[in-house]
Protein backbone atom coordinates (compact mmCIF):
# COMPACT_ATOMS: atom_id res chain seq x y z
CA UNK A 1 0.00 0.00 0.00
CA UNK A 2 1.42 3.37 -1.04
CA UNK A 3 1.79 5.90 1.77
CA UNK A 4 0.58 9.46 1.32
CA UNK A 5 2.80 12.40 2.23
CA UNK A 6 1.24 12.85 5.68
CA UNK A 7 1.85 9.21 6.55
CA UNK A 8 5.45 9.50 5.37
CA UNK A 9 6.04 12.57 7.58
CA UNK A 10 4.53 10.83 10.60
CA UNK A 11 6.72 7.78 10.01
CA UNK A 12 9.88 9.84 9.51
CA UNK A 13 9.41 12.10 12.55
CA UNK A 14 8.35 9.26 14.84
CA UNK A 15 11.59 7.47 13.87
CA UNK A 16 14.14 10.34 14.02
CA UNK A 17 16.88 8.43 12.25
CA UNK A 18 14.95 8.59 8.98
CA UNK A 19 14.17 12.29 8.84
CA UNK A 20 17.58 13.43 10.09
CA UNK A 21 19.67 11.14 7.90
CA UNK A 22 17.83 12.49 4.86
CA UNK A 23 18.03 16.07 6.13
CA UNK A 24 21.79 15.62 6.64
CA UNK A 25 22.07 14.42 3.03
CA UNK A 26 20.29 17.57 1.89
CA UNK A 27 22.78 19.73 3.80
CA UNK A 28 25.73 17.78 2.37
CA UNK A 29 24.51 18.41 -1.18
CA UNK A 30 23.77 22.05 -0.39
CA UNK A 31 27.23 22.51 1.13
CA UNK A 32 28.83 21.03 -1.99
CA UNK A 33 26.83 23.40 -4.21
CA UNK A 34 27.96 26.37 -2.08
CA UNK A 35 31.58 25.52 -2.90
CA UNK A 36 30.85 25.05 -6.59
CA UNK A 37 29.15 28.42 -7.07
CA UNK A 38 31.59 30.25 -4.74
CA UNK A 39 29.10 32.64 -3.17
CA UNK A 40 30.08 35.51 -0.89
CA UNK A 41 31.94 34.26 2.19
CA UNK A 42 31.46 30.76 0.80
CA UNK A 43 34.28 29.13 2.79
CA UNK A 44 32.75 30.01 6.17
CA UNK A 45 29.27 29.16 4.89
CA UNK A 46 30.50 25.80 3.61
CA UNK A 47 32.13 25.03 6.97
CA UNK A 48 28.96 25.99 8.82
CA UNK A 49 26.81 23.74 6.62
CA UNK A 50 29.03 20.68 7.07
CA UNK A 51 30.36 21.06 10.62
CA UNK A 52 27.22 22.46 12.22
CA UNK A 53 24.11 21.49 10.26
CA UNK A 54 25.19 18.24 8.59
CA UNK A 55 26.86 16.86 11.71
CA UNK A 56 24.05 18.18 13.89
CA UNK A 57 21.54 16.24 11.79
CA UNK A 58 23.68 13.12 11.81
CA UNK A 59 24.11 12.99 15.57
CA UNK A 60 20.52 14.01 16.28
CA UNK A 61 19.29 11.19 14.07
CA UNK A 62 21.50 8.63 15.72
CA UNK A 63 21.10 9.74 19.35
CA UNK A 64 17.34 10.27 19.21
CA UNK A 65 17.07 6.78 17.76
CA UNK A 66 19.66 4.95 19.89
CA UNK A 67 19.31 6.56 23.31
CA UNK A 68 15.67 5.48 23.83
CA UNK A 69 16.81 1.90 23.14
CA UNK A 70 19.74 2.19 25.55
CA UNK A 71 17.59 3.81 28.28
CA UNK A 72 14.36 1.80 27.79
CA UNK A 73 12.41 4.92 26.87
CA UNK A 74 9.20 3.94 25.07
CA UNK A 75 7.48 7.30 24.67
CA UNK A 76 6.63 9.22 21.50
CA UNK A 77 9.74 10.61 19.80
CA UNK A 78 7.90 12.92 17.40
CA UNK A 79 8.01 16.05 19.63
CA UNK A 80 11.77 15.67 20.09
CA UNK A 81 12.25 15.25 16.34
CA UNK A 82 10.15 18.34 15.57
CA UNK A 83 12.06 20.53 18.05
CA UNK A 84 15.49 19.42 16.79
CA UNK A 85 14.40 19.74 13.15
CA UNK A 86 12.99 23.22 13.80
CA UNK A 87 16.18 24.42 15.50
CA UNK A 88 18.36 23.19 12.64
CA UNK A 89 16.04 24.74 10.07
CA UNK A 90 15.98 28.05 11.95
CA UNK A 91 19.78 28.05 12.11
CA UNK A 92 19.94 27.35 8.36
CA UNK A 93 17.54 30.20 7.53
CA UNK A 94 19.33 32.68 9.80
CA UNK A 95 22.70 31.75 8.30
CA UNK A 96 21.42 32.33 4.78
CA UNK A 97 19.66 35.62 5.56
CA UNK A 98 21.66 37.22 8.38
CA UNK A 99 24.79 35.06 8.68
CA UNK A 100 23.84 34.45 12.31
CA UNK A 101 22.79 30.80 12.33
CA UNK A 102 25.71 30.03 14.64
CA UNK A 103 23.77 31.55 17.56
CA UNK A 104 21.06 28.87 17.31
CA UNK A 105 23.43 25.90 17.38
CA UNK A 106 24.25 26.09 21.12
CA UNK A 107 20.49 25.87 21.76
CA UNK A 108 20.33 22.80 19.53
CA UNK A 109 23.22 21.06 21.31
CA UNK A 110 21.78 22.04 24.71
CA UNK A 111 18.48 20.46 23.67
CA UNK A 112 20.19 17.20 22.68
CA UNK A 113 22.22 17.24 25.91
CA UNK A 114 19.15 17.77 28.11
CA UNK A 115 17.05 15.14 26.31
CA UNK A 116 19.77 12.48 26.47
CA UNK A 117 20.59 13.41 30.07
CA UNK A 118 16.94 13.18 31.08
CA UNK A 119 16.51 9.73 29.53
CA UNK A 120 19.66 8.49 31.23
CA UNK A 121 18.54 9.90 34.58
CA UNK A 122 15.08 8.33 34.32
CA UNK A 123 16.66 4.95 33.56
CA UNK A 124 19.34 5.36 36.25
CA UNK A 125 21.79 4.63 33.46
CA UNK A 126 25.43 5.46 34.17
CA UNK A 127 26.91 3.54 31.23
CA UNK A 128 26.68 6.42 28.75
CA UNK A 129 28.13 9.31 30.74
CA UNK A 130 30.85 9.60 28.09
CA UNK A 131 28.24 10.76 25.57
CA UNK A 132 26.87 13.35 28.01
CA UNK A 133 30.37 14.64 28.66
CA UNK A 134 31.28 15.02 24.99
CA UNK A 135 27.92 16.67 24.23
CA UNK A 136 28.70 19.14 27.01
CA UNK A 137 32.07 19.83 25.38
CA UNK A 138 30.40 20.41 22.01
CA UNK A 139 27.96 22.82 23.66
CA UNK A 140 30.84 24.70 25.27
CA UNK A 141 32.79 25.05 22.04
CA UNK A 142 29.61 26.05 20.17
CA UNK A 143 29.12 28.86 22.69
CA UNK A 144 32.71 29.99 22.18
CA UNK A 145 32.19 29.92 18.43
CA UNK A 146 28.96 31.92 18.63
CA UNK A 147 30.25 34.67 20.90
CA UNK A 148 34.03 34.69 20.44
CA UNK A 149 34.55 33.27 16.95
CA UNK A 150 36.50 30.20 18.05
CA UNK A 151 37.91 27.78 15.45
CA UNK A 152 35.78 25.03 13.91
CA UNK A 153 38.57 22.50 14.22
CA UNK A 154 37.84 21.64 17.84
CA UNK A 155 34.39 20.47 16.80
CA UNK A 156 35.89 18.03 14.30
CA UNK A 157 37.88 16.32 17.04
CA UNK A 158 34.86 16.18 19.37
CA UNK A 159 32.78 14.61 16.61
CA UNK A 160 35.50 11.99 16.18
CA UNK A 161 35.32 11.40 19.96
CA UNK A 162 31.59 10.64 19.57
CA UNK A 163 32.38 8.33 16.66
CA UNK A 164 34.92 6.49 18.85
CA UNK A 165 32.15 5.80 21.40
CA UNK A 166 29.33 5.09 18.96
CA UNK A 167 31.64 3.18 16.62
CA UNK A 168 32.56 0.88 19.51
CA UNK A 169 28.99 -0.42 19.57
CA UNK A 170 28.52 -0.46 15.81
CA UNK A 171 31.84 -2.21 15.20
CA UNK A 172 31.00 -4.89 17.76
CA UNK A 173 27.78 -5.67 15.89
CA UNK A 174 29.44 -5.73 12.46
CA UNK A 175 32.35 -7.85 13.67
CA UNK A 176 30.01 -10.36 15.30
CA UNK A 177 27.95 -10.60 12.13
CA UNK A 178 31.12 -11.29 10.15
CA UNK A 179 32.28 -13.99 12.60
CA UNK A 180 28.85 -15.64 12.64
CA UNK A 181 28.77 -15.62 8.86
CA UNK A 182 32.23 -17.16 8.56
CA UNK A 183 32.22 -19.70 11.40
CA UNK A 184 28.59 -20.15 12.46
CA UNK A 185 26.31 -18.60 15.05
CA UNK A 186 28.06 -17.72 18.34
CA UNK A 187 31.11 -19.92 17.73
CA UNK A 188 33.35 -16.92 18.35
CA UNK A 189 32.58 -13.66 20.17
CA UNK A 190 34.19 -10.32 19.24
CA UNK A 191 35.21 -8.17 22.23
CA UNK A 192 36.71 -4.81 21.20
CA UNK A 193 39.25 -3.27 23.58
CA UNK A 194 37.48 -0.78 25.90
CA UNK A 195 40.74 0.55 27.36
CA UNK A 196 42.04 1.76 23.99
CA UNK A 197 38.57 3.17 23.27
CA UNK A 198 38.67 5.25 26.46
CA UNK A 199 42.24 6.40 25.82
CA UNK A 200 41.28 7.49 22.31
CA UNK A 201 38.14 9.22 23.59
CA UNK A 202 40.01 11.38 26.11
CA UNK A 203 42.84 12.06 23.66
CA UNK A 204 40.43 13.49 21.09
CA UNK A 205 38.80 15.68 23.73
CA UNK A 206 42.22 16.94 24.83
CA UNK A 207 43.09 17.68 21.21
CA UNK A 208 39.80 19.56 20.73
CA UNK A 209 40.53 21.93 23.62
CA UNK A 210 44.18 22.29 22.64
CA UNK A 211 42.86 24.08 19.51
CA UNK A 212 42.20 27.04 21.81
CA UNK A 213 45.97 27.27 22.31
CA UNK A 214 46.98 27.25 18.66
CA UNK A 215 50.16 29.14 19.48
CA UNK A 216 51.40 26.02 21.29
CA UNK A 217 51.71 23.78 18.27
CA UNK A 218 53.65 21.18 20.29
CA UNK A 219 50.58 20.64 22.52
CA UNK A 220 48.32 20.12 19.53
CA UNK A 221 50.99 18.03 17.80
CA UNK A 222 51.55 15.59 20.66
CA UNK A 223 47.79 15.32 21.28
CA UNK A 224 47.09 14.54 17.61
CA UNK A 225 49.98 12.07 17.46
CA UNK A 226 48.61 10.31 20.54
CA UNK A 227 45.18 10.06 18.91
CA UNK A 228 46.69 8.58 15.76
CA UNK A 229 48.89 6.04 17.51
CA UNK A 230 46.09 4.86 19.79
CA UNK A 231 43.77 4.36 16.82
CA UNK A 232 46.48 2.50 14.93
CA UNK A 233 46.78 0.27 17.97
CA UNK A 234 43.05 -0.39 17.90
CA UNK A 235 43.06 -1.81 14.38
CA UNK A 236 45.12 -4.78 15.59
CA UNK A 237 41.91 -6.39 16.84
CA UNK A 238 40.62 -6.36 13.26
CA UNK A 239 43.51 -8.39 11.85
CA UNK A 240 41.52 -11.58 11.33
CA UNK A 241 40.86 -13.26 8.01
CA UNK A 242 37.08 -13.30 8.53
CA UNK A 243 37.01 -9.49 8.63
CA UNK A 244 38.75 -9.18 5.25
CA UNK A 245 36.18 -11.34 3.46
CA UNK A 246 33.15 -9.08 3.97
CA UNK A 247 32.74 -5.63 2.47
CA UNK A 248 31.39 -3.80 5.52
CA UNK A 249 34.20 -4.90 7.84
CA UNK A 250 36.76 -4.00 5.17
CA UNK A 251 35.22 -0.53 4.93
CA UNK A 252 35.26 -0.21 8.71
CA UNK A 253 38.91 -1.27 8.81
CA UNK A 254 39.89 1.31 6.20
CA UNK A 255 38.06 4.05 8.11
CA UNK A 256 39.86 3.09 11.34
CA UNK A 257 43.15 3.00 9.46
CA UNK A 258 42.34 6.47 8.12
CA UNK A 259 41.86 7.85 11.63
CA UNK A 260 45.20 6.50 12.73
CA UNK A 261 47.20 7.55 9.68
CA UNK A 262 45.65 11.01 9.33
CA UNK A 263 45.91 11.95 13.00
CA UNK A 264 49.45 10.63 13.32
CA UNK A 265 50.37 12.63 10.21
CA UNK A 266 48.56 15.67 11.60
CA UNK A 267 50.56 15.45 14.81
CA UNK A 268 53.90 15.02 13.04
CA UNK A 269 53.08 17.93 10.73
CA UNK A 270 52.32 20.22 13.67
CA UNK A 271 55.43 19.16 15.59
CA UNK A 272 57.81 19.73 12.66
CA UNK A 273 55.90 22.58 10.95
CA UNK A 274 55.72 20.94 7.54
CA UNK A 275 52.76 23.15 6.57
CA UNK A 276 50.30 20.47 5.45
CA UNK A 277 47.97 20.54 8.44
CA UNK A 278 45.00 22.07 6.58
CA UNK A 279 45.17 19.45 3.84
CA UNK A 280 45.35 16.68 6.46
CA UNK A 281 42.37 18.17 8.31
CA UNK A 282 40.38 18.01 5.09
CA UNK A 283 41.37 14.37 4.77
CA UNK A 284 40.14 13.77 8.32
CA UNK A 285 36.87 15.55 7.56
CA UNK A 286 36.16 13.82 4.25
CA UNK A 287 37.32 10.26 4.83
CA UNK A 288 37.10 9.87 8.60
CA UNK A 289 34.21 12.11 9.71
CA UNK A 290 31.98 11.90 6.64
CA UNK A 291 33.02 8.30 6.02
CA UNK A 292 32.03 7.06 9.47
CA UNK A 293 28.79 9.04 9.41
CA UNK A 294 28.00 7.58 5.98
CA UNK A 295 28.72 4.07 7.29
CA UNK A 296 26.43 4.58 10.30
CA UNK A 297 23.73 6.00 8.02
CA UNK A 298 23.82 2.82 5.96
CA UNK A 299 24.17 0.27 8.75
CA UNK A 300 21.53 1.86 11.00
CA UNK A 301 19.09 2.32 8.11
CA UNK A 302 19.38 -1.31 7.04
CA UNK A 303 19.34 -2.82 10.52
CA UNK A 304 16.33 -0.76 11.59
CA UNK A 305 14.34 -1.67 8.49
CA UNK A 306 14.09 -5.40 8.98
CA UNK A 307 17.33 -6.37 7.19
CA UNK A 308 18.54 -9.38 9.19
CA UNK A 309 21.50 -9.98 6.87
CA UNK A 310 23.68 -6.87 6.61
CA UNK A 311 24.57 -6.19 2.99
CA UNK A 312 25.27 -2.65 1.87
CA UNK A 313 23.64 -1.81 -1.47
CA UNK A 314 25.85 -1.30 -4.51
CA UNK A 315 25.15 2.45 -4.43
CA UNK A 316 26.60 2.67 -0.91
CA UNK A 317 29.72 0.71 -1.86
CA UNK A 318 30.23 3.11 -4.77
CA UNK A 319 29.65 5.96 -2.32
CA UNK A 320 32.65 4.92 -0.25
CA UNK A 321 34.79 4.76 -3.39
CA UNK A 322 33.69 8.29 -4.29
CA UNK A 323 34.49 9.51 -0.76
CA UNK A 324 37.96 8.01 -1.10
CA UNK A 325 38.49 9.67 -4.47
CA UNK A 326 37.26 12.97 -3.07
CA UNK A 327 39.79 12.69 -0.25
CA UNK A 328 42.64 11.87 -2.63
CA UNK A 329 41.67 14.76 -4.88
CA UNK A 330 41.70 17.25 -1.99
CA UNK A 331 44.90 16.22 -0.20
CA UNK A 332 47.06 14.88 -3.05
CA UNK A 333 45.94 16.22 -6.44
CA UNK A 334 44.95 19.68 -5.21
CA UNK A 335 48.54 20.91 -5.58
CA UNK A 336 48.17 20.65 -9.35
CA UNK A 337 44.92 22.54 -9.93
CA UNK A 338 42.06 24.29 -8.14
CA UNK A 339 39.78 21.83 -9.93
CA UNK A 340 41.07 19.07 -7.64
CA UNK A 341 41.07 21.43 -4.63
CA UNK A 342 37.40 22.47 -4.74
CA UNK A 343 35.40 21.25 -7.71
CA UNK A 344 36.13 17.53 -7.93
CA UNK A 345 35.74 16.87 -4.18
CA UNK A 346 32.52 18.92 -4.08
CA UNK A 347 31.00 17.13 -7.07
CA UNK A 348 31.91 13.69 -5.71
CA UNK A 349 30.50 14.47 -2.25
CA UNK A 350 27.34 15.85 -3.81
CA UNK A 351 26.88 12.68 -5.88
CA UNK A 352 27.37 10.45 -2.81
CA UNK A 353 24.61 12.09 -0.81
CA UNK A 354 22.23 12.65 -3.70
CA UNK A 355 22.34 8.90 -4.33
CA UNK A 356 21.90 8.19 -0.62
CA UNK A 357 18.89 10.49 -0.40
CA UNK A 358 17.14 9.00 -3.42
CA UNK A 359 17.98 5.39 -2.52
CA UNK A 360 17.02 5.51 1.13
CA UNK A 361 13.99 7.76 0.78
CA UNK A 362 12.44 4.99 -1.32
CA UNK A 363 13.85 2.36 1.04
CA UNK A 364 12.30 3.99 4.12
CA UNK A 365 8.90 4.28 2.44
CA UNK A 366 8.87 0.64 1.36
CA UNK A 367 10.25 -0.87 4.59
CA UNK A 368 8.61 -0.36 7.98
CA UNK A 369 10.83 0.68 10.87
CA UNK A 370 12.00 -2.17 13.11
CA UNK A 371 14.14 -2.63 16.19
CA UNK A 372 17.72 -3.72 15.62
CA UNK A 373 17.70 -7.55 15.71
CA UNK A 374 20.89 -7.53 17.82
Amino acid sequence: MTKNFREILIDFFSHPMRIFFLYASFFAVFGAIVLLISTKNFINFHQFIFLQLFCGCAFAGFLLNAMPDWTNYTGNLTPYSIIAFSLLTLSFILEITLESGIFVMPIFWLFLLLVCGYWLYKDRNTNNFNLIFVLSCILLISLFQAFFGASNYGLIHLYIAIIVIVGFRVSAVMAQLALDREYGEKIYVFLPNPILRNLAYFSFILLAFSEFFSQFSFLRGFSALACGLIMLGRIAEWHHLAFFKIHYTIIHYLLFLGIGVFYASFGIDLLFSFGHSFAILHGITIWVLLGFIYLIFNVASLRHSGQLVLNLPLSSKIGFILLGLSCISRIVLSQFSIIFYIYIPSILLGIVFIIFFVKFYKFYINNPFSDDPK
Side-chain angles (χ1 to χ4, degrees):
M1 180 178 177
T2 304
K3 296 180 181 179
N4 59 42
F5 186 66
R6 181 176 180 275
E7 291 173 328
I8 292 172
L9 284 180
I10 292 173
D11 175 55
F12 283 12
F13 277 93
S14 59
H15 304 113
M17 177 190 76
R18 296 187 161 188
I19 187 64
F20 286 108
F21 287 2
L22 294 179
Y23 203 23
S25 299
F26 162 77
F27 283 129
V29 175
F30 188 87
I33 292 172
V34 166
L35 277 183
L36 290 174
I37 62 178
S38 300
T39 59
K40 178 185 176 182
N41 201 24
F42 71 98
I43 295 296
N44 290 336
F45 191 28
H46 157 80
Q47 289 181 348
F48 178 81
I49 293 295
F50 273 100
L51 297 182
Q52 298 284 356
L53 299 180
F54 172 83
C55 290
C57 277
F59 292 118
F62 182 84
L63 291 175
L64 292 179
N65 189 77
M67 288 298 286
D69 184 44
W70 299 342
T71 59
N72 301 301
Y73 177 78
T74 57
N76 184 12
L77 296 176
T78 302
Y80 301 104
S81 299
I82 292 175
I83 293 172
F85 186 90
S86 299
L87 288 172
L88 289 167
T89 303
L90 176 61
S91 179
F92 179 50
I93 293 172
L94 288 176
E95 188 65 21
I96 290 177
T97 56
L98 302 173
E99 297 184 5
S100 57
I102 191 68
F103 293 102
V104 179
M105 292 310 298
I107 302 174
F108 167 79
W109 290 111
L110 177 62
F111 170 73
L112 272 188
L113 173 64
L114 292 176
V115 169
C116 293
Y118 174 72
W119 287 338
L120 290 171
Y121 170 77
K122 292 288 289 185
D123 191 52
R124 300 296 190 268
N125 186 320
T126 59
N127 296 327
N128 294 285
F129 176 76
N130 44 22
L131 281 174
I132 296 299
F133 182 70
V134 75
L135 284 174
S136 302
C137 293
I138 291 174
L139 172 60
L140 181 61
I141 288 186
S142 294
L143 286 168
F144 269 87
Q145 284 185 315
F147 295 101
F148 304 106
S151 167
N152 282 312
Y153 302 132
L155 277 182
I156 296 175
H157 309 315
L158 289 179
Y159 293 152
I160 301 298
I162 294 183
I163 286 172
V164 166
I165 298 301
V166 171
F168 187 82
R169 295 171 179 265
V170 175
S171 64
V173 172
M174 290 194 299
Q176 193 60 53
L177 288 172
L179 291 174
D180 291 348
R181 179 173 170 176
E182 180 70 12
Y183 301 110
E185 192 79 17
K186 299 299 182 183
I187 300 298
Y188 295 102
V189 177
F190 179 76
L191 296 174
N193 190 323
I195 297 174
L196 287 179
R197 176 203 62 185
N198 293 338
L199 286 173
Y201 169 79
F202 286 111
S203 296
F204 281 112
I205 291 176
L206 174 63
L207 176 58
F209 283 99
S210 72
E211 292 289 348
F212 285 101
F213 307 98
S214 56
Q215 66 272 28
F216 301 119
S217 59
F218 69 92
L219 176 61
R220 297 167 64 212
F222 280 117
S223 299
L225 183 59
C227 292
L229 294 178
I230 292 169
M231 295 307 295
L232 286 174
R234 283 196 64 186
I235 66 173
E237 61 197 21
W238 289 87
H239 290 157
H240 299 279
L241 184 60
F243 298 147
F244 292 98
K245 292 182 177 181
I246 302 175
H247 62 280
Y248 51 82
T249 47
I250 293 174
I251 291 169
H252 184 273
Y253 179 87
L254 293 175
L255 291 171
F256 254 59
L257 182 62
I259 297 181
V261 170
F262 279 127
Y263 270 99
S265 302
F266 185 50
I268 292 171
D269 185 87
L270 290 172
L271 289 173
F272 293 97
S273 302
F274 290 141
H276 301 299
S277 59
F278 288 110
I280 297 171
L281 272 172
H282 274 89
I284 291 171
T285 304
I286 295 171
W287 180 246
V288 176
L289 181 57
L290 296 188
F292 262 107
I293 288 175
Y294 187 63
L295 178 63
I296 290 172
F297 279 10
N298 279 273
V299 173
S301 296
L302 294 170
R303 297 287 288 175
H304 284 282
S305 299
Q307 305 297 304
L308 297 179
V309 178
L310 183 59
N311 185 26
L312 302 187
L314 178 61
S315 61
S316 297
K317 297 172 186 175
I318 294 173
F320 282 105
I321 294 173
L322 296 180
L323 281 175
L325 292 175
S326 176
C327 182
I328 293 170
S329 176
R330 174 58 187 87
I331 65 175
V332 177
L333 302 178
S334 58
Q335 59 182 312
F336 301 110
S337 172
I338 194 173
I339 293 175
F340 297 108
Y341 184 88
I342 292 179
Y343 298 108
I344 297 299
S346 301
I347 291 170
L348 293 176
L349 285 176
I351 291 172
V352 169
F353 286 99
I354 287 173
I355 294 174
F356 178 87
F357 187 100
V358 173
K359 173 72 177 180
F360 279 91
Y361 176 78
K362 295 178 180 178
F363 182 80
Y364 293 153
I365 291 174
N366 296 323
N367 293 272
F369 187 87
S370 65
D371 293 330
D372 192 312
K374 291 186 182 293

